[in-house]
Amino acid sequence: MVKKTGQSELSQPLRQVVADAWTFRFNVEREAAIRFARLAKRLEGIGALPTVVEMTVRASHDEGRHARHCADLARRYGAALIPEEISAPEIAPPGLGDRERVLYEVVAACCITETESTSVLTSLFNEATDSRMHLILRQLLRDEVGHSRLGWAHLAHESTRGDVQYLGRLIPNMLEVYAQDGLFGAAPTELDAPELLSHGVLPHSMKRSIFNMTLLEVVFPGLESLGVPSGPAREWLVRRTAPAAQAL
Amino acid sequence: MQIRKLFRVLVAGGAIIGGVVACGGSDKSQGQTSSPTTGGDGGTNPDGGMPGGGGTYGW
């Protein structure tokens, strides 16, 4: 049931967790807006499908709007929100050609990150009890579906133009940011509180579970279906989810 | 929307935009391993001499 509630039932430590999460997302969305604006030009330059270029331009605008939503929510939970300088540098490894560099970044940003974000938003949307939160999450989810799709569309198109198998051994590099962000490590108790869910934040263990399931059910099969071997990424996931790795 | 449905919505939906029909889904690829052309090192020491590269943060 969707109802109109405030955030007063949260303890101060949990309120801070929620404020931090929406602040982090505020910066993520700002970075994504810059990245999509750059990628739109790069995609046009390499002769990508016009539809994909249009979707990427739209994605840049969407992310700017998302950043404003995240900022509103961060402030609602008490964040001071002092905007930092944001950049979105290219992430492809050296040694790739122009077309391959663009494809690498689109796969990382869309096929992986936006697909994972769609999965997270789906879970949050289903759990939202606050009417305003519900409305915002619905808008974000609708847009993120488009952002993920543009990546799969570009990968599909590129797979018809040449060999994309080389990406297989590079996928773990794209995934490693999630490990660096502490997803596979132990988290403080407050980060795993179930109360976070109705405030648009996944408890840590649930976030990890959804991340893994999305890789196994969506991303890896998607890559395989379009000619990108998922073996190295599957091996990376096994290593990262091993008990010894989680204890680090 | 369930996670299993996301394959159809995102991957298959995107592939159609890209002019390809994506086959498979959650029961495909399970247990598949690296193709002979890929290293099994998880990208940390690729055969082709292309170390590095990164990813992007999301939600």
Side-chain angles (χ1 to χ4, degrees), chain A residues 1-35:
Chain A
M1 185 177 76
V2 178
K3 59 184 181 181
K4 193 168 183 178
T5 60
Q7 66 282 45
S8 56
E9 70 271 22
L10 276 179
S11 66
Q12 182 52 38
L14 291 187
R15 210 172 128 87
Q16 186 62 50
V17 169
V18 176
D20 290 346
W22 285 107
T23 300
F24 176 78
R25 291 167 180 171
F26 166 64
N27 288 318
V28 163
E29 300 287 356
R30 290 167 68 214
E31 181 177 335
I34 296 169
R35 187 176 308 284

Side-chain angles (χ1 to χ4, degrees), chain A residues 90-96 104-105 107-109 112-113 166-181 184 211 215 220 223 228-237 239-240, chain B residues 39-57:
Chain A
E90 286 194 34
I91 55 172
L96 294 178
Y104 178 100
E105 192 160 0
V107 168
I112 294 176
T113 298
Y166 69 92
L167 281 171
R169 61 195 164 87
L170 299 175
I171 301 295
N173 299 8
M174 303 178 191
L175 296 173
E176 193 59 27
V177 292
Y178 290 92
Q180 291 166 0
D181 197 34
F184 297 101
F211 176 82
L215 285 182
F220 293 166
L223 292 170
V228 179
S230 66
R234 290 178 188 276
E235 291 165 14
W236 175 89
L237 185 60
R239 281 201 307 277
R240 280 301 182 185
Chain B
D41 50 42
T44 55
N45 185 23
D47 295 335
M50 286 190 294
T56 60
Y57 289 104

Side-chain angles (χ1 to χ4, degrees), chain A residues 22 24-25 28-29 35 49 51 55 91 93-96 104 108-109 113 115 117-119 121-122 140 145 148-149 152-153 156-157 160 165 169-170 172-174 177-178 181 207 213-214 216-218 221-222 224-226 229 231-232 234-235 239, chain B:
Chain A
W22 285 107
F24 176 78
R25 291 167 180 171
V28 163
E29 300 287 356
R35 187 176 308 284
L49 289 171
T51 305
M55 291 171 80
I91 55 172
L96 294 178
Y104 178 100
T113 298
T115 297
S117 294
T118 300
S119 194
L121 276 159
T122 299
L140 297 181
V145 166
S148 172
R149 273 183 175 160
W152 293 109
H157 184 62
T160 66
Q165 286 196 55
R169 61 195 164 87
L170 299 175
N173 299 8
M174 303 178 191
V177 292
Y178 290 92
D181 197 34
K207 184 176 180 181
M213 199 182 308
T214 304
L216 293 169
E217 301 280 353
V218 187
E224 288 282 353
S225 73
L226 296 172
R234 290 178 188 276
E235 291 165 14
R239 281 201 307 277
Chain B
M1 199 186 320
Q2 304 294 321
I3 287 179
R4 285 170 182 266
K5 290 182 185 171
L6 289 180
F7 181 90
R8 193 175 69 236
V9 173
L10 304 180
V11 180
I16 289 169
I17 295 169
V20 173
V21 175
C23 301
S26 60
D27 54 352
K28 183 176 183 277
S29 306
Q30 296 292 333
Q32 286 188 340
T33 55
S34 309
S35 77
T37 57
T38 61
D41 50 42
T44 55
N45 185 23
D47 295 335
M50 286 190 294
T56 60
Y57 289 104
W59 279 50

Side-chain angles (χ1 to χ4, degrees), chain A residues 20-168:
Chain A
D20 290 346
W22 285 107
T23 300
F24 176 78
R25 291 167 180 171
F26 166 64
N27 288 318
V28 163
E29 300 287 356
R30 290 167 68 214
E31 181 177 335
I34 296 169
R35 187 176 308 284
F36 278 126
R38 173 169 51 75
L39 277 174
K41 291 176 185 165
R42 298 291 306 277
L43 284 161
E44 189 170 25
I46 62 162
L49 289 171
T51 305
V52 169
V53 175
E54 288 167 17
M55 291 171 80
T56 310
V57 170
R58 198 181 315 139
S60 177
H61 298 153
D62 292 341
E63 301 291 19
R65 192 172 61 252
H66 295 181
R68 290 191 287 278
H69 283 311
C70 294
D72 288 346
L73 284 164
R75 289 194 189 97
R76 185 182 177 191
Y77 288 92
L81 210 68
I82 302 165
E84 301 166 6
E85 191 73 23
I86 291 282
S87 63
E90 286 194 34
I91 55 172
L96 294 178
D98 203 35
R99 179 181 297 279
E100 290 77 18
R101 294 179 67 80
V102 174
L103 181 58
Y104 178 100
E105 192 160 0
V106 167
V107 168
C110 300
C111 299
I112 294 176
T113 298
E114 295 288 347
T115 297
E116 289 286 352
S117 294
T118 300
S119 194
V120 167
L121 276 159
T122 299
S123 302
L124 292 174
F125 177 74
N126 290 335
E127 296 291 338
T129 55
D130 178 300
S131 56
R132 185 177 172 195
M133 183 74 72
H134 202 261
L135 182 66
I136 290 173
L137 292 174
R138 184 170 60 190
Q139 290 176 9
L140 297 181
L141 177 57
R142 179 198 61 204
D143 293 339
E144 301 293 59
V145 166
H147 305 171
S148 172
R149 273 183 175 160
L150 83 84
W152 293 109
H154 185 59
L155 175 58
H157 184 62
E158 288 296 291
S159 73
T160 66
R161 303 173 81 185
D163 188 359
V164 294
Q165 286 196 55
Y166 69 92
L167 281 171

